[in-house]
């Protein structure tokens, strides 16, 4: 018997409810046996059709137990946030709409709401209100888009039409990045053909911020990539002096603020980003600190015309307004991912956003204090939501990480800092309460006591 569409969706909703009801109590990382049971997915394409419900069951029965509870309150690995209820709800509804959110002609509703999202994002982040936003899949894709726009525009200013002539024989465009640049910027530069050996690295201070005194020379052939929120320390580059220098030289400034850009929404933290609004382009994610579902990121460009010219994908059968989302992002057919971003910003408002971001900062400070009390060395000043720490030897640091991960009450990951093993805790889930922070401190102390 074939189940109807509505019954199937209802069953999925029931299972989703049960899953969400469990996230406070679940192990944060699945145990070995549960992970091993995933081998059941290694099957070949079958000849005959199955009942759809059987497939849904398999995903829930085998998949759900083996998930990482990053949508719960005690996941401190990476800054990946959870999903706010309004974001999850709107995303579910929009899934039923199944819009191809390319342009107004494909989906008037999606186009209108993503336009509304643009306005709210620019207001929340206090960026130039005339800027344009392409809602892309990731900070990676959006960073790649912004870097392509930057190069095209710098070349155009130098009299080179890269669309027509390509890169062969073009004036060379230099790229200066922080020594602590995120790997996805390097990936984008590599894919775009800049050449890894041509990347110029700017020296950083002990916190991982570019040192303005040691900034490599800039000129009008240069893209300068700055960072709002370093992944280990949460540090911000000193934007005001760096961007002033870039402006003077005629360079393009791009800011990678995958999670850190949201510091601008917090009264306590926004000073860290002073001057950042003078850049030419910015990327940020919704799916990290804004707590929207995955595949929700933003490429923000001061000169919307430059972005639209670079990203245009008009065809004779599919022409659209220059700022249609298909003409601002890498995708042609796309999900209306701006809807959940809009819904979160509309629902939280300035106060709700400020409270969430500021609270995560305070919780990270409390975590750092708890680690210090336990005699653990904290390596960073907690400027944002990141805590970087280590024990006296690399062996003990790694052993603590493993012990915590195996026990399953909280989860955080390792990193390397100044050539030594370290671990990092990020606070970014709307679900994380102060009591969860105390649980985390207690758990770390207790695992440490058993090492
Ligand atoms: C996560 C991250 C990225 C990449 O973002 P995705 O959305 O995962 O592609 C880029 N830069 C920084 C600083 C990040 O933390």
């Amino acid at each position: 018997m074939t189940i109807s569409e509505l019954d199937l969706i209802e069953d999925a909703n029931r299972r989703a409810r049960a899953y969400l009801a469990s996230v406070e109590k679940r192990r944060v990382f699945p145990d070995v046996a549960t992970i091993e049971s995933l081998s059941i997915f290694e099957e070949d394409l079958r000849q005959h059709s199955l009942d759809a419900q059987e497939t849904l069951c398999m995903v829930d029965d085998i998949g759900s137990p083996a998930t990482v509870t990053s949508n719960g309150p005690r996941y401190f690995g990476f800054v990946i946030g959870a999903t706010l209820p309004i974001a999850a709800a709107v995303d579910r509804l929009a899934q039923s709409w199944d819009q191809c959110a390319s342009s107004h002609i494909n989906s008037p509703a999606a186009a209108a709401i993503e336009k509304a999202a643009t306005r709210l994002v620019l207001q929340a982040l206090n960026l130039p209100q005339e800027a344009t936003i392409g809602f892309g899949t990731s900070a990676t894709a959006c960073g790649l888009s912004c870097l392509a726009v930057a190069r095209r525009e710098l070349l155009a200013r130098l009299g080179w039409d890269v669309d027509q002539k390509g890169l062969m024989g073009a004036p060379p465009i230099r790229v200066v990045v922080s020594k602590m640049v995120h790997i996805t910027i390097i990936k984008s530069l590599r894919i775009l053909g800049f050449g890894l050996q041509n990347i110029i690295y700017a020296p950083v201070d002990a916190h991982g911020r570019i040192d303005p005194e040691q900034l490599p020379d800039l000129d009008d052939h240069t893209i300068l990539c700055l960072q709002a929120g370093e992944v280990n320390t949460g540090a911000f580059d000193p934007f005001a002096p760096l961007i002033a220098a870039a402006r003077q030289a005629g360079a393009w400034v791009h800011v990678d603020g995958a999670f850190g850009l949201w510091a601008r929404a917090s009264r306590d933290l926004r000073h860290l980003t002073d001057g950042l609004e003078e850049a030419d382009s910015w990327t940020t994610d919704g799916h990290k600190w804004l707590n929207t579902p995955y595949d929700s990121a933003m490429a923000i460009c001061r000169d919307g015309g430059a972005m639209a010219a670079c990203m245009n994908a008009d065809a004779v059968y599919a022409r659209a307004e220059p700022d249609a989302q298909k003409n601002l992002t890498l995708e042609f057919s796309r999900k209306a991912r701006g809807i959940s971003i809009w819904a979160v910003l509309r629902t939280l408002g300035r106060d709700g956003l400020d409270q969430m971001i500021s609270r995560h900062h305070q919780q990270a400070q409390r975590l750092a204090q708890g680690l210090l009390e336990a005699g653990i060395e904290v390596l960073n000043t907690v400027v944002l939501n990141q805590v970087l720490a280590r024990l006296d030897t690399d062996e003990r640091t790694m052993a603590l990480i493993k012990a915590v991960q195996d026990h399953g009450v909280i989860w955080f990951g390792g990193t390397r800092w100044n050539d030594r093993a370290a671990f990092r805790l990020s606070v970014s889930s709307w679900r994380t309460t102060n009591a969860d922070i105390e649980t985390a401190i207690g758990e770390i102390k207790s695992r440490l006591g058993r090492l």
Side-chain angles (χ1 to χ4, degrees):
M1 210 207 43
T2 312
I3 187 170
S4 79
E5 179 186 13
L6 292 184
D7 286 343
L8 190 65
I9 296 297
E10 196 168 301
D11 191 15
N13 281 342
R14 188 179 56 73
R15 292 167 186 277
R17 281 183 73 112
Y19 183 83
L20 288 175
S22 77
V23 296
E24 311 256 328
K25 300 175 297 266
R26 307 182 76 83
R27 266 186 72 89
V28 183
F29 199 89
D31 61 28
V32 175
T34 312
I35 294 173
E36 277 169 2
S37 68
L38 290 168
S39 62
I40 201 166
F41 285 105
E42 294 161 20
E43 49 181 20
D44 290 322
L45 181 65
R46 57 189 75 228
Q47 187 64 43
H48 301 291
S49 305
L50 279 179
D51 191 304
Q53 197 169 23
E54 135 92 44
T55 299
L56 178 63
C57 274
M58 179 169 167
V59 171
D60 192 26
D61 295 348
I62 312 296
S64 292
T67 53
V68 174
T69 318
S70 50
N71 199 10
R74 293 183 312 280
Y75 182 84
F76 301 103
F78 314 103
V79 187
I80 62 179
T83 292
L84 278 158
I86 184 58
V90 163
D91 200 48
R92 254 182 187 61
L93 180 59
Q95 249 173 45
S96 312
W97 293 353
D98 191 27
Q99 302 291 279
C100 177
S102 300
S103 65
H104 181 84
I105 196 77
N106 288 92
S107 175
I113 300 175
E114 289 195 304
K115 196 159 267 191
T118 297
R119 180 201 291 246
L120 299 194
V121 168
L122 295 175
Q123 290 180 357
L125 295 175
N126 194 19
L127 291 177
Q129 302 300 297
E130 71 281 6
T132 295
I133 303 184
F135 293 98
T137 50
S138 60
T140 305
C142 291
L144 188 139
S145 303
C146 287
L147 291 167
V149 174
R151 179 169 66 188
R152 182 182 184 280
E153 181 62 20
L154 288 184
L155 286 173
R157 289 181 200 160
L158 295 166
W160 186 268
D161 180 347
V162 72
D163 291 346
Q164 291 301 324
K165 300 194 204 169
L167 289 169
M168 222 63 113
I173 297 294
R174 304 161 69 241
V175 187
V176 175
V177 303
S178 163
K179 207 165 155 274
M180 302 306 295
V181 64
H182 196 266
I183 187 62
T184 57
I185 293 281
I186 299 298
K187 171 177 173 174
S188 297
L189 293 170
R190 181 167 56 72
I191 292 173
L192 288 168
F194 280 93
L196 293 180
Q197 67 186 39
N198 302 322
I199 296 172
I200 303 161
Y201 289 89
V204 296
D205 66 16
H207 304 276
R209 301 175 297 204
I210 293 181
D211 176 3
E213 298 294 314
Q214 300 186 65
L215 182 65
D217 288 341
L218 305 176
D219 57 24
D220 60 358
H221 294 53
T222 306
I223 302 170
L224 173 64
C225 291
L226 304 180
Q227 189 159 248
E230 199 277 326
V231 293
N232 292 296
T233 63
F236 289 66
D237 287 330
F239 298 108
L242 294 173
I243 298 181
R247 280 264 162 276
Q248 189 125 39
W252 180 288
V253 182
H254 175 69
V255 178
D256 173 12
F259 58 94
L261 210 60
W262 295 96
R264 287 176 79 76
S266 154
R267 272 183 276 265
D268 297 344
L269 301 178
R270 74 174 52 124
H271 65 95
L272 294 167
T273 72
D274 284 350
L276 168 156
E277 63 282 357
E278 299 298 329
D280 297 288
S281 57
W282 306 264
T283 42
T284 192
D285 273 321
H287 54 231
K288 289 181 176 171
W289 212 353
L290 190 60
N291 282 243
T292 61
Y294 282 99
D295 280 7
S296 104
M298 290 146 265
I300 310 175
C301 220
R302 175 186 297 279
D303 180 351
M307 190 182 202
C310 182
M311 305 303 289
N312 183 275
D314 273 343
V316 282
Y317 76 98
R319 272 191 202 290
E321 49 296 358
D323 63 347
Q325 283 294 321
K326 78 165 171 95
N327 288 333
L328 299 175
T329 58
L330 290 173
E331 298 80 22
F332 190 69
S333 312
R334 58 184 291 286
K335 158 181 172 168
R337 53 182 63 89
I339 292 184
S340 56
I341 295 171
W342 167 83
V344 164
L345 293 176
R346 179 171 192 275
T347 306
L348 291 184
R350 287 193 192 277
D351 288 346
L353 195 55
D354 178 9
Q355 280 156 22
M356 180 170 78
I357 303 292
S358 300
R359 191 184 82 232
H360 291 153
H361 169 57
Q362 288 150 15
Q363 290 175 330
Q365 286 181 318
R366 170 66 193 127
L367 266 179
Q369 187 194 18
L371 295 183
L372 286 172
E373 284 163 16
I376 296 173
E377 183 184 5
V378 174
L379 298 164
N380 67 325
T381 315
V382 181
V383 290
L384 203 62
N385 58 347
Q386 304 283 102
V387 184
L388 183 66
R390 72 175 174 215
L391 302 188
D392 47 351
T393 66
D394 283 8
E395 291 67 33
R396 275 169 51 80
T397 300
M398 313 279 263
L400 177 66
I401 297 170
K402 184 171 181 337
V404 166
Q405 291 180 349
D406 286 351
H407 198 227
V409 176
I410 66 170
W411 199 94
F412 57 75
T415 185
R416 291 196 70 78
W417 187 254
N418 291 338
D419 270 334
R420 295 266 315 268
F423 57 93
R424 46 196 286 275
L425 291 112
S426 310
V427 188
S428 63
S429 165
W430 68 273
R431 280 187 222 270
T432 304
T433 62
N434 292 342
D436 292 313
I437 298 295
E438 297 310 319
T439 302
I441 294 170
E443 171 66 5
I444 292 167
K445 283 183 179 162
S446 136
R447 290 311 116 203
L448 186 61
R450 288 176 171 77
L451 279 192

